[in-house]
Amino acid sequence: MSWLLSRYGNRTVTYSNMGQYSGSMGVTLLWVLLWISRSGQGLSAEQLSTKIFFLAETNTSNRVTLQVPPAVLKGTAHQWMWTSHDGRHSNTSVAQITSSMSRNPSWNTQAPFSQGTGYLSMQTKYENAGEFVLMQTKPASAVLARFEVFSFVVKATSNYKGNEVYLGSDVSVRCEVSHIPDGATLQWERHGDSTSNTTLFYNKTAHMIIHTVDQNYQGRSNCNFRLNGELLFRVHTTLSVQTGTFNNPLIHLFRESSNSSEVKLICRSRSSYSRAKWIMSRSPTSVTLTSSDKVRSDRFSSPSFNGYDFPLHVSPVTFEDSGVFTCLFEDQRFSSVKITTIRVSESGGPPGGQPVVVRCEVSEVSTDPVTLAWMRMEGSRWLLVKQDILTESHPTRTLSVTLPSLRSDQLHWQCAVFTEGMLRATASLTLTLPTQTTMSSMTDDHLWTVAIVACIAMVVAGVLVGALVFYLKRKKTAVTNLPLTQKNDPVYDNATDPRRDQESQKGQTGEDENEEVHYSEFALGEPRLGDTNRVTARSNQESAVIYSTLNI
């Protein structure tokens, strides 16, 4: 079904499922030069770093070899160190090579590795991939070489009849690599039109769905591994498609329900027929969607029947379109397609900074478990956020993720549907950050609240202003109504010396009868005109005159 081509440096290796292997002697010559020049100096691991690729297989005798020096000098010791890509092993010694002055080198290897004549060998198993380092331990410690061994797994959906894919089915393929270094990409590419393909890369795996395959999709699809733009490895699969749909098993398709979604169901015969129709069955009823006698032109449409081909086109796909669609040519079943729909939605969020909940729902879960996975775009790759396996007994068919607050790096989401580890459909959801709250964005409840508060504020302000005006007006009136004498008349008061009064009461003695009387005037109000006997205070304020008689 598939073969791969790997390239690194000037070496080209062709490796197929039949186990054919061919290569140049460049690595051996490199080791000869290395071994000649290694004495007395350390060697750069970067200069000798080599990348090796293999397709992981089970129950096979195929092996991968790491070339070692053709000769080991006497009195030296070496070892192979292994760090696996899956993280189970780190700097683990898997082989030791020793050589004394009196005997040939001896190997001591640990499973699953073994030695051969001039190489380290391993089975083509996915878990054997990793970084291998050859080190000299005696007489001096030095790194002699590094190998980066990558393992690939390629799988396709099992909707084949012999070597041909069922016409009208979805073909899902996956390509997984053991490690993605910085600057590396893993991508499916097809020759020809690929507009209806769905691709997804996450967790070191490239997925691709070829929707509703027909003869136009026959050919090769390549899984390409590139490092810094350079193609280093390629796995390809070739697609062959049936020419008719008669006697095919039930085809199961997954489709997103949205305003832009669509699905095409194929019904094709090698022989000519006079009548055809499509029926949709959803328990407990069935309804005829289109027929050769009456072709509808709404969401369900078919072209004029030519006697051989009668496809059904559904656009847009709604969540309620889940069910079984059957094509009949003169009452003979020629195609049966089961559609399971998925939809994504959001709820909550502004106003008020409420949490945002994203939901992914599948219309049906039958005997085969379905895996729903929410992924968020981080940079240029999808990051798995949450996933769940749904079965018939599962209480819900929904996977939800709650975001306490929405950030700019949480806007792009995708719900992916898997069955048996194969991608079946995706549904995208794009969130938007809240903008500044405006009156138009408020709900009716918020508008009522704002209106009530505004009215109360206006009433309170009116009461306060009225009270202030009333107070000022009353104060002004009270001042204006005072008698004129209270405002401007001078006030007189006699101030006498008490001792003088006492002496006066005892009788006047020989005191001077003509004692001088002094008057003092204090202006507290505005003086009257024509009163020349008063002295006013030097002030611009209103004042009244107070006369006081002082007896001294």
Side-chain angles (χ1 to χ4, degrees):
M1 170 185 166
S2 63
W3 56 276
L4 60 88
L5 179 66
S6 65
R7 296 183 176 89
Y8 44 91
N10 294 324
R11 183 183 180 195
T12 300
V13 177
T14 303
Y15 179 55
S16 71
N17 291 345
M18 300 302 295
Q20 294 179 351
Y21 180 92
S22 63
S24 70
M25 296 301 294
V27 175
T28 301
L29 294 176
L30 176 63
W31 274 109
V32 171
L33 295 175
L34 165 64
W35 211 251
I36 293 175
S37 61
R38 69 170 181 83
S39 180
Q41 59 180 340
L43 298 177
S44 172
E46 295 297 331
Q47 292 177 347
L48 299 175
S49 179
T50 304
K51 291 177 173 57
I52 295 179
F53 308 88
F54 69 87
L55 183 64
E57 298 170 308
T58 58
N59 301 324
T60 178
S61 59
N62 292 326
R63 303 186 71 84
V64 176
T65 60
L66 307 181
Q67 194 73 35
V68 297
V72 177
L73 300 181
K74 293 182 178 181
T76 60
H78 302 79
Q79 67 175 348
W80 282 99
M81 305 296 293
W82 172 47
T83 299
S84 61
H85 282 164
D86 58 15
R88 294 183 299 113
H89 302 275
S90 179
N91 291 324
T92 302
S93 178
V94 297
Q96 300 82 35
I97 311 171
T98 59
S99 176
S100 64
M101 300 301 295
S102 59
R103 56 190 179 91
N104 294 327
S106 63
W107 282 68
N108 179 20
T109 59
Q110 282 75 41
F113 304 98
S114 61
Q115 92 279 3
T117 304
Y119 58 83
L120 179 69
S121 175
M122 72 188 79
Q123 289 183 327
T124 55
K125 293 185 176 181
Y126 185 80
E127 60 270 18
N128 290 341
E131 183 183 38
F132 294 82
V133 179
L134 177 62
M135 300 183 63
Q136 176 183 283
T137 57
K138 289 182 181 181
S141 178
V143 174
L144 302 181
R146 295 180 184 270
F147 288 84
E148 187 82 6
V149 180
F150 296 85
S151 176
F152 289 78
V153 174
V154 178
K155 185 180 179 181
T157 50
S158 57
N159 51 352
Y160 283 81
K161 184 177 182 180
N163 293 325
E164 292 181 330
V165 180
Y166 293 126
L167 178 64
S169 64
D170 286 351
V171 174
S172 180
V173 292
R174 56 176 290 176
C175 179
E176 182 179 0
V177 64
S178 57
H179 176 59
I180 292 286
D182 293 338
T185 59
L186 186 68
Q187 186 177 10
W188 279 103
E189 298 176 2
R190 269 186 42 81
H191 295 291
D193 184 18
S194 60
T195 56
S196 63
N197 295 344
T198 296
T199 59
L200 172 67
F201 176 83
Y202 93 101
N203 195 25
K204 303 179 297 184
T205 304
H207 297 267
M208 181 178 68
I209 308 173
I210 306 175
H211 297 287
T212 315
V213 296
D214 58 14
Q215 278 67 35
N216 294 325
Y217 293 99
Q218 293 189 134
R220 193 169 79 175
S221 299
N222 299 318
C223 177
N224 296 327
F225 179 84
R226 289 184 171 88
L227 183 60
N228 298 323
E230 179 186 0
L231 178 63
L232 299 182
F233 186 75
R234 169 178 290 166
V235 183
H236 80 260
T237 180
T238 302
L239 194 65
S240 298
V241 184
Q242 288 181 319
T243 58
T245 59
F246 184 67
N247 282 336
N248 282 353
L250 179 67
I251 302 298
H252 194 180
L253 306 180
F254 290 79
R255 288 296 185 272
E256 175 191 7
S257 62
S258 67
N259 294 331
S260 60
S261 61
E262 63 179 359
V263 62
K264 179 183 178 183
L265 308 182
I266 297 178
C267 185
R268 188 175 300 167
S269 170
R270 298 184 183 94
S271 303
S272 178
Y273 287 84
S274 58
R275 291 180 291 109
K277 64 180 178 180
W278 277 98
I279 297 176
M280 179 183 180
S281 301
R282 187 189 300 119
S283 180
T285 61
S286 297
V287 59
T288 299
L289 301 177
T290 61
S291 67
S292 54
D293 301 329
K294 184 178 181 181
V295 178
R296 296 172 58 178
S297 59
D298 54 5
R299 289 197 310 114
F300 303 96
S301 61
S302 296
S304 299
F305 183 46
N306 60 6
Y308 299 92
D309 197 7
F310 195 61
L312 175 66
H313 186 255
V314 183
S315 178
V317 178
T318 67
F319 192 71
E320 292 73 23
D321 289 336
S322 175
V324 177
F325 296 75
T326 303
C327 175
L328 300 176
F329 283 1
E330 296 182 4
D331 298 329
Q332 293 189 55
R333 186 183 66 83
F334 265 77
S335 179
S336 291
V337 181
K338 178 180 179 180
I339 294 181
T340 299
T341 54
I342 60 173
R343 64 182 173 187
V344 292
S345 61
E346 62 173 301
S347 61
Q354 298 296 321
V356 178
V357 179
V358 293
R359 292 182 177 86
C360 180
E361 182 179 3
V362 62
S363 61
E364 179 188 6
V365 178
S366 57
T367 55
D368 297 328
V370 175
T371 300
L372 295 182
W374 266 119
M375 302 180 191
R376 176 173 54 84
M377 178 65 75
E378 188 174 85
S380 60
R381 296 181 178 181
W382 290 104
L383 174 67
L384 178 64
V385 177
K386 185 179 180 180
Q387 69 176 9
D388 194 8
I389 300 176
L390 309 182
T391 61
E392 284 184 298
S393 60
H394 202 275
T396 63
R397 301 186 303 272
T398 303
L399 179 66
S400 302
V401 174
T402 301
L403 308 175
S405 60
L406 189 60
R407 304 192 307 266
S408 59
D409 60 343
Q410 297 176 328
L411 302 181
H412 302 286
W413 293 80
Q414 186 167 245
C415 179
V417 182
F418 297 88
T419 59
E420 298 179 350
M422 307 301 295
L423 181 65
R424 303 304 305 272
T426 61
S428 299
L429 180 65
T430 301
L431 306 178
T432 55
L433 287 173
T435 56
Q436 186 176 1
T437 303
T438 60
M439 291 297 292
S440 61
S441 66
M442 293 183 180
T443 62
D444 293 339
D445 293 338
H446 285 79
L447 288 175
W448 275 108
T449 303
V450 171
I452 292 173
V453 172
C455 291
I456 294 175
M458 291 176 63
V459 171
V460 173
V463 172
L464 293 176
V465 171
L468 180 61
V469 171
F470 176 78
Y471 172 77
L472 295 177
K473 190 172 183 180
R474 183 177 179 182
K475 182 178 180 181
K476 182 177 180 181
T477 303
V479 173
T480 305
N481 293 336
L482 287 175
L484 186 61
T485 57
Q486 294 182 9
K487 294 190 293 179
N488 298 320
D489 286 352
V491 178
Y492 295 90
D493 188 19
N494 291 328
T496 62
D497 187 349
R499 291 174 299 179
R500 291 280 186 180
D501 292 340
Q502 292 176 0
E503 294 174 357
S504 177
Q505 292 176 359
K506 294 178 180 179
Q508 293 183 354
T509 57
E511 295 164 344
D512 189 2
E513 293 284 337
N514 296 324
E515 59 184 6
E516 186 179 357
V517 178
H518 297 270
Y519 291 92
S520 176
E521 180 180 352
F522 298 89
L524 298 178
E526 186 176 295
R528 293 180 181 179
L529 295 175
D531 196 345
T532 58
N533 296 324
R534 298 175 182 173
V535 179
T536 60
R538 297 176 182 178
S539 173
N540 293 329
Q541 298 177 351
E542 293 183 0
S543 59
V545 178
I546 300 175
Y547 284 86
S548 177
T549 302
L550 302 178
N551 295 322
I552 302 177

